[in-house]
């Protein structure tokens, strides 16, 4: 994305209720509801990337972490 200064902070901690491993699967929606995506995965990623280019990142990780800890929601 051309933002070398933007790095994830991996703390090894997690929040109560976090889903640690999740894989998207629409097969049940397709089977029960007849759902089919109208936008391809590739086109959707391209659209998301274009949108993200205009966004300004604000690092609020420390603020969010402090709030979660204050509420006892981290392990």
């Amino acid at each position: 994305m051309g933002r070398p200064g933007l790095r994830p902070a991996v703390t090894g901690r997690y929040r109560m209720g976090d889903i640690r491993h999740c894989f998207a699967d629409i097969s049940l929606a397709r089977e029960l509801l007849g759902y089919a995506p109208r936008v391809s995965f590739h086109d959707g990623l391209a659209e998301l990337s274009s949108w993200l280019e205009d966004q300004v990142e604000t690092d609020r990780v420390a603020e969010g972490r402090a709030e979660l800890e204050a509420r006892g929601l981290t392990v």
Side-chain angles (χ1 to χ4, degrees), residues 4-61:
L6 187 59
R7 300 275 184 238
V10 180
T11 65
R13 300 176 71 192
Y14 60 92
R15 298 170 294 183
M16 301 297 260
D18 271 357
I19 298 171
R20 306 285 305 259
H21 305 284
C22 180
F23 301 92
D25 181 0
I26 64 166
S27 60
L28 189 59
R30 186 182 314 267
E31 179 184 329
L32 296 179
L33 304 173
Y35 173 77
R38 292 182 285 183
V39 177
S40 73
F41 182 74
H42 180 268
D43 290 345
L45 283 181
E47 182 180 334
L48 175 62
S49 294
S50 293
W51 178 80
L52 288 172
E53 286 177 345
D54 296 329
Q55 301 305 303
V56 177
E57 67 271 3
T58 303
D59 186 351
R60 297 181 61 199
V61 172

Side-chain angles (χ1 to χ4, degrees), residues 3 12 26 64 66 68:
R3 297 184 182 186
I26 64 166
L68 288 168

